[in-house]
Amino acid sequence: MKTPPDPEPASFLPLTPAAFHVLVALAGGDLHGYAVLKEVETRTGGAVRLSTGTLYGLVQRFLEAGLIAEAGADERRRSYRLTRLGRQVATAEAERLEGLVEAARAQRLLPRRRPA
Amino acid sequence: MSPPSRPARLYRALLRLFPGEFRADFGSEMEEVFASERGDARRGGRPALARLWLRTAWDALRVGPAQHLALLRRDGAYALRGLRRRPGFAAAVVATLALGFGVNAAMFGVLDATVLAPLAYRDAERLAVVWERDETGATSNTSWATYRDLAERSRSLASLTAIANGWASLAGGEAPELLFGLRVTDSFFDVFGVRPLVGRGFLPAEDRPAGERVVVLGHGLWRRRFGGDHGIVGRTVELSGRPVRVVGVLPPEFATTFTEALYNEEFDYLVPLRYDAATESACRTCRHIVAVGRLRPGVTQAAAAAEVETILAGLAREHPQDYPAADGVLRPLREQVVAGARPGLLALWAAVGCLLLIATANVASLLLARTAERREEMAIRAALGAGRARLFRQLLTESLILAGAGAAAGVLLAAFVLRAALAAVPFPVPRLEEAALGARVLLFVAGASLLVGLAVTLVPAAHLLWRGLPAAVEAGERVSAGAARQRLRGVFVTAEVALALVLLLGAGLLLGSFARVLRQDPGFDPRGVLAAEVPLTTIRYDTDAASVAFYDQALARVRALPGVRAAGALSMVPLTGELDTYGFHVEDQPVRNPALAPSVVRYLGAPGTPEALGLRVVAGRYFGAEDREGALRVAVVGEGLARRYWPRGSPLGARVQFGSREDDWRTVIGVVADMRHDGLEAAAPLQAHVPYTQGSPWRLHLLVRAGGDPEALAPALRRAVRAVDPQIPVADVRTLEEVLHVSLARRRFGLLLVGGFAALALLLAGVGIYGLVAYTVQQRLRELGVRRALGATSRHLHALVLRRGLGHTALGVALGWGAGLLLARFIRSLLFGVAADDPATYAAIAAAVLAVALLACWLPARRAAAVDPVVVLRGE
């Protein structure tokens, strides 16, 4: 069986918030499942709490689509890392969101950014 | 490891919501993560723990089923991709299944409408019909007196109606029309639960001998002859020359199913029975009434039947001279309607079921061949960690997609088949016109396609996953698994051949029967004869003299028509189902009990009938102009009757009587050939003729032998009758060849259907054999090439391939023979003049199957024989 060519990162967009959070959490380094949950919870100040079902549903999909890969395992748990494609997808989603935010700024829904 | 804690067990139970494969991948990890989460939440106390559980459970409820769905979608997409790569394979499977499902859907539609569905009367399951039953178990109509007693004594029947049939002519329009009607009691409308569309039903006062003459029009007649005019109610129409007031019109949805099944004809109108209990025909033995009752709510059919039996047995005790019957039977109305059609329909359903089995075997064989190509793919996926359950699910999804597509295509096919078939049925089947592809048919097909999908997955999957897979990675596997697979395909092909052979045997035996029926001599020559029914329905002909005078004149005018070689008449046309029988008495051979006199079919005949009909006069003479009222009363007997009563002597001059009326002795003046009155398959009944000029004719069929085309005489014949009396209808103008044709319609149509199904079965089996052998050749090309290189002749290679295909066929034929012999008793009642194990048929069918198998093997064998060793060996 031939492996199909890498898919376009844009073809995965838009991501659900949960999916985006998981990718962002892994962008900081390899994590195992529980660490991903904690990372997302801390990062959002407790606003987003993923449950095991949602988390591993995403893990399964991301593994299959090649957005993440297994980074290693001890006898109890595996840790995961973001692949190149996964990073591209996360970046693309971030850019998409940024575009939306810019549009909101242009309509003055948000204060203008201070020049750097 | 310590046993899991209660929360851990609970969580594990929650994980059951996810697909097994998902659980295998992530289950233990999820348990681990959840355990950590629980550890965190415990610090927040009970409320935090409860929140965690709630959140997790809700999440699992959402994500688990979604995972299942995603998996199904993925399997489906994967299967579709695979099938798109093999369009020929997919098309072959779908077409084969479409054929199987198509005929089954159509047949189930017919069965559903005619046998399974309730009758279209209000609360139809509470309707029942009552028959009298004699000591032989034969059932008959009942009499007015019995009907009255039953209505009075029964507790389980809420209402009861008496039905008798009748005819009337309706003047107006181009020509008077002969109508068929029912004479019913005023309770008819209650019993059947029908409310007239316009007007009302009958009043008790109208159902009396002196009551006003009223009529309720059937919806069809109302639309046809009165333009659907609501104002017709209250007006007077002329039926058979008598003024009758229209009081109502029946609604279109009132189904005539029961009476149509009873009389083979849809009724045009209803009139009150107006029974006069004082007349002779009200006697207990005058059984011309059909009694239909409506059960009281809550009374079962069985309870009502038991009561009716008791009541009739009681009547038989009170009037022993009137009832040979031991009792009576009450039968659900639906049972009465469907009983006749059921055996034939069930036999046909068995045939199409057989066809579906063959199609299924064919598809299983195709899928099995495909597993060879998929072995590598499956091995790789297994190596990548896909479990057997996962792979089985994949295979099942693919089969179900194929079965679903086949079912959908089959339903489309059935829609066409059904329309064509309904239009083609040449005889009335009650409720056949209601057959359609309704929800129940679709449900049936959906269920069948699920079963077929599962069935065709099991064998290839078992083969691939539980047998082929571990071996697949070993180098030496190829031959052994391949051989086992081919053996399995051989089993399917053998089964197909056996099933097809059984169907073909049925068709062959029916064909043989039909050929023998056609060779039966009807006793007359139907070629070139036109028949026309001329009933004297108007009150002008209320004396025998008037009736006789009418027919005299009509016959004289018809004889004078150009193109008429001979003209006669009979009161019944043979082979049409009409029946008029009398007890037969011979003056010097008296019977002790007149009720035991043999029953004889008695025709009223006319001078010229033998010439018109081609009826052979064996001895003496037929009727002439001299046999009139006042002259010597005469009769002519059939050959069978002559043989039975005068085995050595001649019946000429003997005195005979029809019925037990005293002193109507007739002298036998001739003997004629017997006619097959009840159909070509039934022996000719005992029969005799008396001249209409010495009887009470009211419904003669004129019979005209034409010099040329008999149908061309029809207009002139109608004109001739109209010239005598324009009020008299001429009905049922048709040739005797048509009568003969119609009398064979059921047998011909059944043969056509079974023959068609058998041909399809043979085709499928042939394709199955071809597929197997062609595949074998394909797989063994290298071996064949080597053999060729080693000096095998092309004839040798031919034989090698043929042996393989024909071996399975021969085994299938042998099995089919065995099955045929076992099933023979089910078909025996449908055969005529052919034994159910007729050796000639068995041999011929086997030869036909072998010929088809030979053809199916020949094509791939040619390829094998033409194999070029150099090309094949280089290609490896």
Side-chain angles (χ1 to χ4, degrees), chain A residues 1 33-34 37-38 49-57 59-60 63-64 76-78 80, chain B residues 11 18 22 25-26 29-30 32-34 36-37 40 55-56 59 62-63 67 74 78 380:
Chain A
M1 270 202 314
Y34 180 62
L37 290 189
K38 285 280 126 189
R49 285 165 180 245
L50 297 180
S51 291
T52 43
T54 300
L55 174 65
Y56 279 94
V59 165
Q60 193 255 355
L63 279 173
E64 203 170 74
R76 290 191 341 211
R77 58 198 184 183
R78 287 176 280 189
Y80 303 95
Chain B
Y11 184 72
F18 291 82
F22 185 89
D25 270 0
F26 301 108
E29 224 174 311
M30 289 168 80
E32 194 66 41
V33 172
F34 186 67
S36 305
E37 282 193 290
D40 290 349
R55 197 153 53 83
T56 308
D59 188 59
R62 265 182 328 121
V63 180
Q67 283 287 331
R74 221 154 355 134
Y78 185 82
I380 289 171

Side-chain angles (χ1 to χ4, degrees), chain A residues 8-111:
Chain A
E8 275 295 306
S11 66
F12 292 94
L13 304 191
L15 296 178
T16 61
F20 187 55
H21 280 304
V22 169
L23 291 183
V24 170
L26 286 172
D30 302 353
L31 296 174
H32 51 72
Y34 180 62
V36 173
L37 290 189
K38 285 280 126 189
E39 169 70 21
V40 170
E41 192 179 334
T42 335
R43 188 183 298 279
T44 59
V48 177
R49 285 165 180 245
L50 297 180
S51 291
T52 43
T54 300
L55 174 65
Y56 279 94
L58 287 169
V59 165
Q60 193 255 355
R61 249 174 55 210
F62 288 166
L63 279 173
E64 203 170 74
L67 302 192
I68 63 172
E70 279 182 37
D74 55 31
E75 69 269 26
R76 290 191 341 211
R77 58 198 184 183
R78 287 176 280 189
S79 54
Y80 303 95
R81 71 176 166 76
L82 210 54
T83 61
R84 213 165 58 114
L85 176 64
R87 189 169 291 278
Q88 286 169 353
V89 169
T91 305
E93 174 69 3
E95 282 168 357
R96 188 183 70 86
L97 294 174
E98 187 176 39
L100 292 179
V101 171
E102 285 307 321
R105 271 190 221 291
Q107 296 294 335
R108 309 206 172 172
L109 292 170
L110 289 176

Side-chain angles (χ1 to χ4, degrees), chain B residues 126-128 130 147 150-151 154-162 185 187-193 291-296:
Chain B
R126 277 167 50 204
L127 292 176
V130 177
Y147 160 78
L150 189 62
S154 169
R155 297 278 80 83
S156 54
L157 297 174
S159 50
L160 189 66
T161 183
T185 56
S187 50
F188 179 90
F189 299 88
D190 274 349
V191 168
F192 281 97
V292 176
R294 176 172 286 274
L295 273 51
R296 270 183 215 290

